[in-house]
Amino acid sequence: MTTAPQSPAPVGRQELLTRLERALHTRGRALLTGPAGVGKTEVALAEAARAEARGETVLWLATLPSDRDIPGAAAAALVASVAATVTWPGLGTGGPAVGSSGPGKPGASPPGTPGAPAGALGVLDSGVLASGVFDQLPGPQRTAVAMLCREAPIDAGGWDPIALRLGIARILRALTCRGPVLLVVDGVQHIDADSADLLRFALHLAPPALRVVAVETPEPYAEAHEPYRESHRPDDPHAAHLWVPSEADVLRVPPLHADEIAELLIHHRLPSRMAGRIHRASGGNPRLALAVGRSLADARTPVHHAEALTLSGRARDLARQLLGAAPPAVRETLLLAALALRPSATLVRRAGRPTAEADLAAAERADLVSLSEDGSVTFTAGLLPSTLVHDACWAERSAGHAALAEVVDDPVEAVRHRALATERPDEELAAEVAAAADLARRRGNSALAAELALLAAESTPGRHGTRRIARLVDAAEEAARAARADLAMRAATDLLARDAVPSDRVRARLAVLDTAGQGLTGLDEMYVHAMEDSEGDTALRAAVQLRLAVKYVLADGDPERSRTAAVESAALAASMGDPRLAAQALTVQARMERALGSPDAETVLGQARALERAERPLGIRNAAQILTVRHALFDDRLDDARDELNALLPLVQRRGSVEDTIELFSTLAAIESRRGACAAALAHAGQSLALTLEAGLSPGPAWYTLALAETAGGSFARAASYARRSVQASEEEGDRVFLSRSRYALGRVQLINGDVAAALETLRRVQADERAQSTVDPSMLRWHEELAEALLGQDAGDEALALLAEVRPVAERLGRSTVLLGCDRAYALCLAAEGRTDEAADLLTRTADSFGRAGLPLERGRALIALARVERRRRRRSAAQNALHEAASVFERAGAAPWLALASETPAGEAVGPGTGGEESVSALASLTEAELRLARLVGQGASNQEAAAKLYLSVKTVEARLTRIYQKLDVRSRAQLATALRP
């Protein structure tokens, strides 16, 4: 037991900590319970850190499994640790000063005197009792405590149980005389029976100032610890607890959500791009998730989305520890459940486990599985069934599949189990599995169809080589349709190791590329071989060129090369009479034409849409229609974009791919963010992220979307957090497109938050990224106006004006009217910085009105905030307040919480105290630019020139020059006068 160290709030546990503090405040007791590794101790540490910050005494008792077999072990550790940790002026009202210790102090009973423990001569010179903490305990209680701590011989009759009870209670009660105390008992399930009895009695008598947090990992398999169960009197349901818990006391620590697992990985500097797959493998258990994350980080080569997760011994061992506590009978039942497609208690019982219900109930108590009302079984972490299967021998797996094949009620599942029960390839069985794959596909179960297609190929005998290769091609393409990157890679790897014709090799490689998501960077060799093998095959070359067009823009950041590849793919597809492929290629071409500022973009997109409508129904891979919605978003034709997307979304959800569904939710979130429907934007962005993580795709794009939605209606802090996550994930994936977008989202929120120096650094990187990618159209990522404002905030007004002069003609040529409005807002700020405040106010008024007519309420409100600042510089306080009130009304109607808070803040330099000179002070401060005001405040608070330069990312010479201007404007001659001028 030690004083708990300071600990930051664990990821995803803020709400739980609030509930914990509420329980401690109202009841003084709280029990944290949950499976091993879920983070109970981290929550208790966080609460202990908060208690320490409030000045409370924190005691930490950590038990070990061996403690339960040693009578009094936990109580002795508590007493010894109190002596080592806490000092106070005796247990009575009079005594030595705080911190004094040792025999001979007032009120102590030296050895050999009446009241000293019997037989304690020569023992009290050191140890627990020598600390002096327990000097005021009555003799019998001191003797009992000494026996408990083995600092006095134990009599034949043992220690006096009543004296020991009273002594422990007196010690804890005395602790509270110094102030509030928090006692944390970590591992309460390991406390021995005697200690549990002593602590129960002591806590029963303790005053309210003693609060207790108990941390418990339930032990569901009582038969594994039979002596412990008997010693705790199983007839008493509360025998193992330190108090009789109520519903309000017990706080279950739940697993983390997928997004929280991603945050946890980032917090521990682990790759986050696999967050969805790691969440499935760990079930949200932080300890398991970190072990899997470290396995991926330690892999010799980066693990691709299309590859199986690399699991180190640590990850497997943690799963084995969770499973190892289960009795053999329970493990056998769990193995059958792991082998089944749709495990249930009834199915497992019919397959030969008559105690299935009892076994599964015990596993549920251990948090290994969850049972629904109909008896269906779900493992809490994907690593558990995979470890069960991994560790089982072939005979066990074969017997399990054979038993399941006899009792399942679905012929598709029966064929699957029969195939998995044998290791000998069989053509007749392979044909049955292939037929089952077709049936699963017709049912709409694409994931099962992909698994069965690969199983059919692997069940095909080697003498039927051509047939096996054909089935491997089918398996790879089926896996691509199901977004099963792991199965696509398995099928392709098997096929490429065989003597397959070039066309089959190309089709297998294309299937892998189609499931790669953002992660195209490490697949260069696949593209090279696909190009070589497609030589002479026009149709395949068109398909390869289409995938190259996607790679060139995502991984290489080269839209011109992407456009060239897309044009070639479209031409080849048209020559072969393949309208489906031609429509896909034209869609990619239209996307690149838009980025490059070509006037042909809409014409090309129209051609793609015409082919798409003729080729397939709505809802099935409608890339051209989705891009049409995106273009409407870029042009701020938001009502058109939303209406078309809302008509398409239910069809895509029913018929289309998960990638298309994710893109539609993401686009809808961006539309609602621009429209000012902030609650809807947050909801759609959340759905996009949930689907992304569930599919195991990189979360970078979804985090970017959430950053936009949070900036609109959530929290600027959360927006910055999501933007940073998106930057990291995009860097890990090598995705140039979303790296630039996520940096833009981060720079924008930094600028809004007033961190101009950081915003300038971030937005300069966006500028470099976009120019490196030759992006021309300013409507696709509106960084120009943000960078101009950041430059202005850092006294780079000439550079800001040059940037606006550069982008304005492009926006005018392309007809990007709302881009021009953003430029007008930034230009008005430049006018104000030059002292042309009348022109600035007039331009901002017109800009705000134009944003309103364009249906962009948040942009209108932002222009009004800028107008208020200019009006303050014009010394028109009433006009400034009116502009702020109007902005606040706009933000309130939109549900834009962070913007409303921004508009409600007291304007800089407006509040002044009583006394003469108030108006003059306001006028003088209003003459400062935002950059000058930030520097003035830093210097006024005592910062040196060097410190201010470091804080604002400026040179010392720039700080000196800016300070000279500030002194002149405020008519001050010293830092002391500057501080006075800034004082409200």
Side-chain angles (χ1 to χ4, degrees), residues 622-829:
N622 302 124
Q625 186 169 5
I626 293 173
L627 184 59
T628 301
V629 175
R630 296 288 299 178
H631 282 194
L633 168 63
F634 297 150
D635 293 336
D636 283 322
R637 294 181 282 110
L638 302 179
D639 290 339
D640 294 343
R642 185 188 59 168
D643 292 344
E644 188 161 0
L645 196 150
N646 282 333
L648 182 62
L649 180 59
L651 299 174
V652 171
Q653 287 179 294
R654 188 161 61 247
R655 305 171 180 169
S657 66
V658 65
E659 292 93 335
D660 283 351
T661 305
I662 290 169
E663 183 167 4
L664 288 185
F665 274 123
S666 176
T667 303
L668 191 54
I671 291 170
E672 301 292 20
S673 295
R674 290 287 286 174
R675 291 182 66 253
C678 298
L682 287 167
H684 296 317
Q687 288 174 295
S688 173
L689 179 63
L691 288 173
T692 296
L693 295 174
E694 183 180 344
L697 301 173
S698 175
W703 281 335
Y704 163 73
T705 301
L706 259 174
L708 296 183
E710 288 286 349
T711 302
S715 155
F716 290 148
R718 286 197 301 270
S721 174
Y722 280 123
R724 289 190 180 93
R725 293 192 211 176
S726 183
V727 169
Q728 177 173 327
S730 299
E731 286 177 335
E732 291 172 5
E733 296 286 13
D735 185 334
R736 301 283 295 278
V737 171
F738 273 96
L739 178 57
S740 183
R741 292 181 185 180
S742 54
R743 282 175 176 161
Y744 158 76
L746 176 59
R748 182 168 181 258
V749 77
Q750 286 171 331
L751 180 63
I752 295 166
N753 264 335
D755 192 356
V756 181
L760 181 58
E761 180 182 358
T762 304
L763 292 168
R764 281 195 185 279
R765 300 184 73 177
V766 175
Q767 180 184 40
D769 291 342
E770 291 296 292
R771 288 180 173 173
Q773 296 176 54
S774 304
T775 303
V776 174
D777 192 329
S779 68
M780 299 181 70
L781 198 65
R782 304 184 180 219
W783 55 271
H784 303 81
E785 61 197 71
E786 310 295 347
L787 178 56
E789 184 174 345
L791 287 166
L792 189 63
Q794 291 296 94
D795 276 354
D798 291 342
E799 190 178 350
L801 288 170
L803 177 62
L804 293 174
E806 174 188 323
V807 70
R808 185 177 292 277
V810 178
E812 289 173 348
R813 175 175 63 83
L814 297 175
R816 309 299 186 233
S817 58
T818 54
V819 172
L820 292 171
L821 291 178
C823 292
D824 286 343
R825 180 184 58 80
Y827 180 65
L829 296 176

Side-chain angles (χ1 to χ4, degrees), residues 242-256:
L242 301 182
W243 67 89
V244 178
S246 70
E247 189 69 24
D249 299 342
V250 180
L251 301 177
R252 180 172 178 78
V253 181
L256 296 178

